Amino acid sequence: NGSITQQQAYSYYHYTDKQSFAYIVPRVFFRYQIKNITPYLFAGPRLDVFIANRYRLYGDEDKLIISQRRTSIPQGGNRFILGYNCGIGAEVKVYKNIAVCLEVSAVQDITNYIYKEFNTTTPTGEERAKGSLKFSAYTGTLTFKHYIDRG
């Protein structure tokens, strides 16, 4: 934790802001089995819960100036973010109790993570009035399954 003083003037600055969330994604599956291959579609709601963020400010030659970990929500931010997850996948049975799954999914937020008024101008002098931040992503997952024989 620290602050920049007049004696610590740098010609170059950059920062990282890492966000940490826990999430819950219950999904509904629609499957159709064809011999050893089971293609499927899935969809479901998503709830992300803000845990903390780590902010770091660096100066010339990547010298660390400030490092802060915060558990408070950024100004204008939401602790809970609602969204959805949907995608396609296939499960291939490679042995009697072993399968491999490959999934591709889209993740999209419905509520804003952050919404605030900006008091800044662009390099061309245009004023920014409002802004919001929503997350969206595409993911790929490779899973190995081992089924326990209950017989």
Side-chain angles (χ1 to χ4, degrees):
N1 295 336
S3 61
I4 301 172
T5 62
Q6 290 292 79
Q7 293 87 10
Q8 294 176 311
Y10 294 93
S11 61
Y12 171 77
Y13 296 99
H14 73 277
Y15 72 93
T16 60
D17 194 356
K18 182 179 178 183
Q19 309 292 318
S20 297
F21 289 88
Y23 63 92
I24 300 167
V25 187
R27 302 187 297 183
V28 174
F29 289 85
F30 302 98
R31 301 173 186 264
Y32 184 77
Q33 187 169 355
I34 307 168
K35 295 186 181 184
N36 289 344
I37 299 174
T38 306
Y40 55 87
L41 301 170
F42 61 88
R46 178 182 176 100
L47 174 65
D48 294 29
V49 181
F50 175 81
I51 304 295
N53 74 337
R54 176 167 297 281
Y55 173 83
R56 291 183 175 165
L57 178 66
Y58 299 90
D60 295 331
E61 299 177 8
D62 289 333
K63 181 179 178 187
L64 181 62
I65 300 169
I66 298 173
S67 179
Q68 295 178 338
R69 184 178 190 283
R70 300 181 214 138
T71 55
S72 60
I73 304 167
Q75 183 179 0
N78 291 320
R79 180 167 300 276
F80 301 102
I81 303 168
L82 295 175
Y84 62 87
N85 177 277
C86 60
I88 61 172
E91 180 177 316
V92 180
K93 198 168 188 180
V94 293
Y95 193 65
K96 74 176 180 179
N97 59 349
I98 297 175
V100 176
C101 299
L102 181 62
E103 288 183 0
V104 178
S105 66
V107 179
Q108 178 65 55
D109 288 350
I110 296 170
T111 55
N112 293 326
Y113 165 57
I114 200 164
Y115 183 88
K116 66 190 251 185
E117 299 285 331
F118 291 99
N119 295 323
T120 59
T121 56
T122 64
T124 59
E126 299 173 53
E127 210 173 292
R128 289 183 181 170
K130 300 176 186 176
S132 65
L133 179 62
K134 289 184 181 180
F135 294 107
S136 64
Y138 297 97
T139 64
T141 307
L142 178 63
T143 308
F144 296 94
K145 290 184 177 181
H146 181 271
Y147 293 99
I148 299 172
D149 186 14
R150 296 181 186 211

